[in-house]
Amino acid sequence: MGDSGKGVKVAACSPKLKIADPSFNALQINEDIVGAVSEGCRVVLFPELSLTSCSCGSLFSFHTLLDSAYDALNYILRSCSEYDTYIIVGLPLMDNNKVYNCATILYNGNVVSYIAKHNVYPSSAISYSFSQYTGSEKDSIFSEDFSFLVDDIRFRVIIGDDIDNFVYDNSVILNPSSLPVIAGGYSDYKNKILSYSAEACGIVSVNPSYFESSSRHVFASTAIAATNGQLLMERRPFKNNSVYCTFSGEYTRCEWHEPKRRSNEYTRTPFIPENAKQYLDDILQIQAHALARRFIHIGCDRMVLGISGGLDSTLTLLAAANTATLLGESPKDVVTAISMPSISSSARTKNNAAALSIALGVDFRTIDISESLLLHLKDIGHDGIATDTTYENAQARERTQILLDICNMENGIMIGSGDLSELALGFTTFGGDLLSMYGINASIPKTVVKALVIHWADILQGDIKQILYDIADTPISPELIPSINNSISQRTEDILGPYEIHDFFIWQMFVYHRRPTEIYAAACEVFDTIYQSVDILNWLEIFYRRFFMSQFKRISLSESPNITGVNLSDFDMPGDVTAAAWMKELESIKKSI
């Protein structure tokens, strides 16, 4: 949106890009600059590391990428030499044998200033190979305290979350950032920018586009401009148009306002905020865009997944069908759902898997693995009768092999269905359901998976509504031991404890970094009328024991987007870690009760 009043017009652009391809990115940036200048903009702002993309990880330390980025910068300088416009683009730069995350301020074909980022451990999605800039380096190319005037307005560039530590003055802050989108996160970002703008003359913040990597995060082209605590403009998630705002120089200061915080610290379902509908809608949108990004990048023809009739595979199928719609394709043409029942499968889950797939209009196939399972068990010397770990895991591995081989046959990508709760507890089969080519549910806990399936039921209505409600009401089970009278005989929560309490543990551990005594006390308070304290302690012990024991599995996880703010696929911990310190603290709790 624009502003027709007098003043300095600023553009916030999130161009299309290719990861580690500065030449392509420079062409896209130049296109946006031309458009912004034609709109009368005197300042054009691009996201953090916009010339390379922010997702290059270890490549940031390679001279090939650094040199290519610098050449791309010079291309922009030549292309924009006649513009009376300040242009801010980001790139990695080497100085004194150290690589820095930089923003360059360009004007009239010249580099006016290089600005280096201070914080090298940000909350953003950048995998850092950068050095920390302290401002004390000798003979540095960087400007420590640089601002520039356009008419009567003073502008200053602050990169990413350096904005959290800046001492504000009478400047408009230009904030090239690399903040990914998570469910419910946009409102937190917006509130932060609004509150910070009360201390400065104004802030313009812009983040990368949907074309960034979706390996670990999803980006959404978000941008916000604010002054005096008031919104000037915003570009909400997944809107690709450039946005403009005008600063007139007539500002009044207002009191500081703290950003709003999530208020679900001590609730039974902490991953789901009060505004559940918007939060769940966010997840559906992020899932579809993440999967579409990966599907397009790989250049495959089909999304292939296993459908069991359980919660996780149901959500995966819904996300795949939604992605097909986003891509403008028929689900039948790009989504293959394969039911792979065995003698352990119940009639209820088999029927629901088939009914849902047919109702969604995807390519649905049934491949019964009972015979191949027994043959495999015979080949390895198993009697095929004992329902031990080998019997259970062989089924999961047989199903994964089928899905991967079909992907090879039909140029497909295998979409994983494992959720955050299962990954945290290690309730997955190594070489089986743990494996996929892209894990779309990996940061979504079981309580949210169930809420999403019900949310989809309310959206889709008709016959699908009843199918989804029945799936949500089905006992959670891996169905890896034979059913009794065609009914589910293996219930996960009888083995592990309730998923709602494990999700509560995950939230307390990874969002608030609380220790066992604190988590136990919080759980006893929240679940006081539902569970006995002795049971809560037992489940907490199961949680910690399984979490640390299963790290070796998570190390081999496929890439997956962070959708809820907690993603264990890139949690940095060795596979031979010990839980001794946590278990010792649990023992002290046992002695005190």
Side-chain angles (χ1 to χ4, degrees):
M1 58 184 290
D3 196 322
S4 59
K6 293 181 179 180
V8 178
K9 195 171 186 179
V10 179
C13 305
S14 298
K16 183 178 180 180
L17 55 78
K18 291 183 179 179
I19 299 157
D21 189 350
S23 296
F24 175 87
N25 298 340
L27 292 172
Q28 302 302 310
I29 288 170
N30 186 60
E31 190 174 301
D32 279 351
I33 292 170
V34 172
V37 170
S38 69
E39 292 284 340
C41 294
R42 300 285 305 283
V43 178
V44 186
L45 177 66
F46 292 93
E48 190 172 356
L49 294 165
S50 46
L51 273 173
T52 55
S53 95
C54 70
S55 307
C56 294
S58 297
L59 291 177
F60 284 127
S61 61
F62 282 67
H63 286 277
T64 301
L65 182 64
L66 297 174
D67 292 345
S68 180
Y70 194 73
D71 290 343
L73 179 67
N74 285 321
Y75 166 79
I76 295 173
L77 283 171
R78 293 191 300 271
S79 300
C80 304
S81 60
E82 302 300 319
Y83 296 149
D84 181 25
T85 302
Y86 285 88
I87 300 160
I88 295 88
V89 295
L91 76 163
L93 277 178
M94 179 172 283
D95 183 50
N96 292 327
N97 294 316
K98 295 180 180 179
V99 179
Y100 296 92
N101 173 357
C102 302
T104 57
I105 303 173
L106 314 178
Y107 179 74
N108 248 358
N110 297 297
V111 175
V112 177
S113 179
Y114 294 111
I115 309 295
K117 194 172 190 292
H118 291 265
N119 185 9
V120 298
Y121 301 105
S123 56
S124 68
I126 298 176
S127 300
Y128 265 74
S129 299
F130 295 118
S131 298
Q132 183 175 10
Y133 180 69
T134 65
S136 61
E137 288 85 343
K138 292 183 179 180
D139 303 319
S140 172
I141 64 172
F142 304 116
S143 302
E144 174 61 17
D145 186 22
F146 180 83
S147 62
F148 60 93
L149 283 171
V150 183
D151 295 339
D152 295 326
I153 310 296
R154 183 170 297 279
F155 291 88
R156 190 182 300 275
V157 176
I158 308 294
I159 305 172
D161 56 0
D162 278 358
I163 197 173
D164 295 333
N165 301 311
F166 180 66
V167 178
Y168 291 93
D169 57 15
N170 292 318
S171 302
V172 173
I173 304 302
L174 302 172
N175 178 227
S177 185
S178 59
L179 189 71
V181 64
I182 62 172
Y186 178 74
S187 60
D188 293 339
Y189 163 62
K190 179 178 176 179
N191 287 329
K192 183 176 82 166
I193 298 302
L194 288 173
S195 66
Y196 285 1
S197 76
E199 290 292 296
C201 285
I203 296 178
V204 183
S205 180
V206 63
N207 294 291
S209 72
Y210 156 76
F211 295 94
E212 263 289 355
S213 170
S214 61
S215 292
R216 292 288 182 244
H217 303 274
V218 181
F219 296 83
S221 307
T222 52
I224 292 174
T227 183
N228 199 32
Q230 302 298 315
L231 183 70
L232 288 177
M233 69 84 186
E234 65 178 324
R235 182 173 58 220
R236 297 185 63 81
F238 304 112
K239 305 296 183 182
N240 292 323
N241 58 303
S242 295
V243 288
Y244 311 102
C245 60
T246 299
F247 291 91
S248 66
E250 298 174 359
Y251 304 104
T252 57
R253 306 294 284 275
C254 71
E255 295 180 359
W256 177 265
H257 300 283
E258 282 291 335
K260 294 180 180 177
R261 305 291 182 184
R262 297 176 80 170
S263 60
N264 47 341
E265 178 178 353
Y266 290 117
T267 66
R268 283 179 58 184
T269 54
F271 277 93
I272 304 175
E274 292 181 5
N275 183 12
K277 183 181 183 304
Q278 182 59 57
Y279 178 78
L280 298 174
D281 283 340
D282 287 350
I283 294 178
L284 303 188
Q285 190 176 37
I286 296 169
Q287 275 193 309
H289 280 83
L291 187 50
R293 177 71 181 91
R294 182 52 54 99
F295 185 79
I296 292 169
H297 174 73
I298 291 178
C300 50
D301 296 323
R302 306 201 71 80
M303 291 173 264
V304 179
L305 58 100
I307 179 72
S308 67
L311 285 171
D312 293 340
S313 65
T314 293
L315 180 59
T316 306
L317 177 57
L318 290 164
N322 194 28
T323 303
T325 302
L326 178 65
L327 294 169
E329 301 280 357
S330 165
K332 184 80 172 177
D333 294 334
V334 295
V335 179
T336 295
I338 303 176
S339 173
M340 293 166 284
S342 71
I343 55 177
S344 301
S345 304
S346 68
R348 182 178 185 180
T349 54
K350 286 189 290 187
N351 293 339
N352 278 336
L356 178 63
S357 300
I358 294 169
L360 289 172
V362 303
D363 172 32
F364 175 67
R365 310 174 195 176
T366 299
I367 301 174
D368 194 304
I369 68 168
S370 300
E371 186 176 338
S372 58
L373 172 66
L374 292 175
L375 179 61
H376 169 68
L377 291 173
K378 179 181 178 182
D379 287 343
I380 64 173
H382 191 282
D383 62 15
I385 298 173
T387 56
D388 54 11
T389 301
T390 303
Y391 181 90
E392 292 189 22
N393 287 349
Q395 295 173 71
R397 294 187 179 115
E398 179 67 21
R399 290 176 174 126
T400 297
Q401 175 180 266
I402 290 170
L403 294 172
L404 290 173
D405 289 345
I406 288 177
C407 284
N408 291 153
M409 289 173 60
E410 302 184 13
N411 190 31
I413 176 175
M414 177 186 167
I415 311 302
S417 60
D419 65 55
L420 174 62
S421 308
E422 291 180 345
L423 293 173
L425 291 160
F427 206 68
T428 56
T429 297
F430 196 93
D433 57 305
L434 185 74
L435 297 184
S436 70
M437 296 176 182
Y438 195 56
I440 199 66
N441 296 338
S443 79
I444 305 176
K446 188 75 77 176
T447 50
V448 180
V449 172
K450 184 172 183 177
L452 284 165
V453 169
I454 294 172
H455 186 57
W456 267 116
D458 294 336
I459 292 171
L460 295 173
Q461 299 294 323
D463 293 338
I464 295 181
K465 182 184 183 76
Q466 298 309 315
I467 299 169
L468 292 177
Y469 269 122
D470 191 63
I471 290 172
D473 195 46
T474 301
I476 298 169
S477 171
E479 291 195 300
L480 295 174
I481 62 174
S483 58
I484 299 174
N485 297 324
N486 227 351
S487 298
I488 293 171
S489 59
Q490 186 181 30
R491 300 188 180 218
T492 304
E493 291 178 300
D494 291 343
I495 302 169
L496 301 176
Y499 270 118
E500 68 170 350
I501 202 161
H502 284 298
D503 289 354
F504 182 86
F505 295 157
I506 293 170
W507 178 271
Q508 296 297 321
M509 182 175 180
F510 290 99
V511 175
Y512 290 106
H513 300 280
R514 293 204 164 103
R515 57 192 305 143
T517 50
E518 295 171 324
I519 295 177
Y520 171 71
C524 287
E525 177 184 334
V526 171
F527 296 97
D528 177 50
T529 60
I530 306 169
Y531 305 120
Q532 297 293 320
S533 60
V534 65
D535 292 327
I536 292 174
L537 184 58
N538 177 54
W539 294 325
L540 185 57
E541 184 174 4
I542 290 173
F543 172 78
Y544 279 119
R545 176 170 51 80
R546 295 190 64 100
F547 173 77
F548 285 98
M549 181 180 65
S550 302
Q551 175 62 8
F552 80 96
K553 294 183 181 181
R554 292 187 293 267
I555 288 172
S556 62
L557 279 172
S558 60
E559 292 183 326
S560 59
N562 189 342
I563 294 176
T564 65
V566 179
N567 189 5
L568 299 179
S569 62
D570 55 0
F571 184 71
D572 188 14
M573 186 171 78
D576 51 3
V577 67
T578 175
W582 286 262
M583 293 311 220
K584 182 179 180 180
E585 189 164 322
L586 288 178
E587 284 300 318
S588 69
I589 299 173
K590 290 180 181 179
K591 292 176 181 179
S592 67
I593 60 176

